[in-house]
Structures are given as structure tokens and as C-alpha cells.
Amino acid sequence: MTQEKKKNSFFLHWPWNVIVYIVLAVALRLFAIPVILVIMGIQKKNNPHGVEEGYCLSRTRKRLPEFLIALLLLFVSVALGALFFYEIRQPKDDWEMMDYVTLIIAGGGALLVGLGAIYEGVVSVRDSFFPAKSSLAKSIRNQLPHPEEAPPVTELFAMVDNDLKENGEWFDTICIGKEWVLGDSASRIDRIRAIFTVDKFHQHRTQTGIKTNRTLQLVLVDDCFQAAITTFRRPKELQAAADCLSFRVPSAFRGINGDYTNFLLKDEVERETFEREFQRKEALRASKRTMRNQ
């Protein structure tokens, strides 16, 4: 415990970390990006799960590095736009097919990358500086019986944080409590109806050969058939998280890879049938627990 306190003493609290990033960006401009990323890495090492400022609030503010990615994308968009206007000003008499291809790629790329940069920048700033409007806060509200009567964001986050502090088990990027699951979004455990693990390899050719990527995701589907997807880095942690949730919700459906797309495609009658069967299994389990206790 003493070492943990000593380690967390080097944690740079909000909003001082942002002030440091802004000062570095003004002083060093683009050269500040690697320095800022190093500082963010130290921050993450000293405060891995966000216990210093609350798990939920820390999760929303971790979107801030995506703003740097948005700036890089915006820089790429400007460069492509400059190439587009350079090409379009060239004399049309000696144009070849490759010139038209370059013009289309530069123009289309500048537009798409620019739109992506703007969207990414707006979302990251919104989640970092306005947590009440963040996607995480929205996911918590949607899990409540009456979302329109949800309490302020501080109480929303405290509700999840308290459960995770008292009962939480961490599996890579996700924490499973007694009532809540905190991943890329929040899910109430009593509303989980299906648990899917995605572990896929993707191959694509590059100039140097074939590159392989691996997708690791945990997909949780609630009683309204809304999917919450969390990305993992380690396959063992993914499987352990799915097993832990299956222990908490034994009646939930289990599947792998593309099974969740078929599950989400159930029509209204199939969903109602599944829900009735789920409730029947849960009632039977509750009855058996009561008999064992007696």
C-alpha cells in the first residue's frame, strides 16, 4: 500500500495535465506530440485504472489522446488537399490517366480524412471536457429503468465507481463488479442477455509481404438487444472476462466471433421467446438457491 501511494504521488491531476500538454504544444508544436505521448504513458503507468479521479471520469478523459490523432489526421487532410489543388492547376493538355487517379485520390482522401479528423476531434474533446455528454454517461443512463430521470453525471459515475471499488475484478481493459461492467461503455450485469468473444485473424498484403492483425473483442448484448463492444489486447484476459460474466449471469447465451450478428438479427417474436426462457432459467436458479439456503 505504501508503494502504491508513493507511485500515485507522481500522478499529474486534471486539469494540470491538460495545461502541461497545451504549453508543450504551443512551445514545440508538432514536435510536442511524442513528448506528450510519453507523459501520457507515465500517467497511465502511475494510474492504470483511474482510481485517483474515478474509473468512469478517467475513462472519458482517456479520449484526450485521440485529439492528437485527430490533429495528425487533419494535417494529412491538409497535405492531400494541397496536392489536390496543385494537380488541378496543372495544364490539362498533357494529362495522363495517372494524373486523374492522383487527383481523385487526393481530393477524396482530403475530404474523408478531414471529416474523420473533425469527428474524432469533436468526440474526444466532448468526452474529455464535458463528461455529462460523453458516450460513457449515455451508456449508463440507457441502462437505468428510467433514463430520462437519471441523476447528474457525478452521481451516475459514482454509482458505477463505488461498485467497482468494492467488488471490481480487472481483466485487461475491462472491470467487472457486482452490478456493473465498465469497458468501452458501461453495462448493468442484471441486463446482460448474451456474451460473445471475438478472436479473429485478418491478413492483408503489403509491399513487404503479408501482414496479420488480430481482433479481440468482448460483446455484451442487453435485454434491449443493444451491443456493447470492448476491445482487448490479450486473448487469455478476454476469455477470463467472458467466463467471469458467465458465472455472474449463468443464463446468458454464450457465443464466439460472428455469432453475435446472428443473435442481434432475431425478430420480435424470437426476442420475446428468448427473454421468457431467460427469465424461466433465472427463476429456477433463484428457487434452487432458496432451497439450498433453507
Side-chain angles (χ1 to χ4, degrees):
M1 182 65 69
T2 305
Q3 291 180 351
E4 185 177 348
K5 288 183 178 178
K6 188 181 294 184
K7 185 178 182 181
N8 288 334
S9 64
F10 295 101
F11 176 69
L12 193 60
H13 291 270
W14 180 276
W16 298 108
N17 55 337
V18 178
I19 294 174
V20 170
Y21 302 153
I22 293 174
V23 171
L24 287 171
V26 172
L28 303 177
R29 299 187 181 180
L30 283 177
F31 296 102
I33 292 178
V35 180
I36 293 173
L37 291 176
V38 169
I39 296 176
M40 287 179 173
I42 296 173
Q43 289 278 93
K44 186 176 180 181
K45 184 178 179 181
N46 290 336
N47 187 37
H49 301 307
V51 67
E52 286 286 333
E53 56 185 3
Y55 301 120
C56 293
L57 197 56
S58 178
R59 188 60 59 98
T60 62
R61 288 173 177 168
K62 282 181 180 178
R63 298 294 301 271
L64 192 58
E66 296 177 13
F67 182 70
L68 299 177
I69 298 175
L71 289 178
L72 287 175
L73 291 175
L74 191 60
F75 177 78
V76 172
S77 176
V78 171
L80 289 172
L83 176 61
F84 173 80
F85 285 109
Y86 172 80
E87 288 290 337
I88 206 170
R89 285 198 298 265
Q90 298 302 310
K92 305 294 190 299
D93 298 335
D94 55 350
W95 271 37
E96 298 179 356
M97 181 59 67
M98 195 62 189
D99 296 312
Y100 289 103
V101 172
T102 303
L103 188 68
I104 294 172
I105 293 175
L111 180 62
L112 293 177
V113 175
L115 291 175
I118 293 172
Y119 173 79
E120 195 70 32
V122 169
V123 171
S124 60
V125 169
R126 181 201 66 188
D127 285 13
S128 300
F129 295 96
F130 305 98
K133 298 180 179 180
S134 65
S135 54
L136 178 59
K138 183 179 179 182
S139 70
I140 298 174
R141 290 191 194 97
N142 290 340
Q143 296 290 309
L144 299 179
H146 304 286
E148 65 282 355
E149 301 176 3
V153 67
T154 51
E155 296 180 29
L156 277 179
F157 285 176
M159 181 171 53
V160 178
D161 287 342
N162 292 336
D163 178 43
L164 300 185
K165 286 177 182 177
E166 294 176 7
N167 312 293
E169 293 183 60
W170 282 94
F171 301 92
D172 201 356
T173 58
I174 203 171
C175 188
I176 301 175
K178 186 178 180 180
E179 299 177 357
W180 290 91
V181 180
L182 179 62
D184 293 342
S185 58
S187 302
R188 265 182 58 169
I189 291 179
D190 61 353
R191 293 189 58 177
I192 294 175
R193 295 295 182 265
I195 304 164
F196 300 93
T197 54
V198 178
D199 187 353
K200 292 182 177 180
F201 289 93
H202 308 277
Q203 292 184 342
H204 60 276
R205 293 185 177 275
T206 63
Q207 294 180 349
T208 57
I210 298 177
K211 187 175 181 180
T212 302
N213 295 324
R214 190 175 189 179
T215 299
L216 296 171
Q217 292 176 329
L218 177 67
V219 183
L220 304 178
V221 180
D222 64 13
D223 54 348
C224 294
F225 278 71
Q226 299 295 317
I229 302 176
T230 299
T231 301
F232 275 68
R233 295 166 297 190
R234 295 186 286 272
K236 289 184 179 180
E237 292 287 294
L238 171 62
Q239 192 60 46
D243 292 341
C244 178
L245 281 171
S246 288
F247 178 77
R248 302 286 176 90
V249 194
S251 301
F253 181 83
R254 282 291 298 267
I256 60 172
N257 297 334
D259 291 346
Y260 78 91
T261 56
N262 296 327
F263 187 83
L264 293 174
L265 290 174
K266 289 180 180 292
D267 59 30
E268 196 65 31
V269 175
E270 291 174 324
R271 293 182 180 187
E272 291 177 359
T273 303
F274 175 84
E275 182 65 21
R276 285 197 299 268
E277 182 65 15
F278 178 88
Q279 295 296 343
R280 186 191 68 79
K281 290 179 181 178
E282 286 295 291
L284 183 60
R285 293 179 190 278
S287 176
K288 289 181 179 180
R289 281 196 300 268
T290 303
M291 292 179 63
R292 282 199 300 266
N293 293 336
Q294 291 176 350

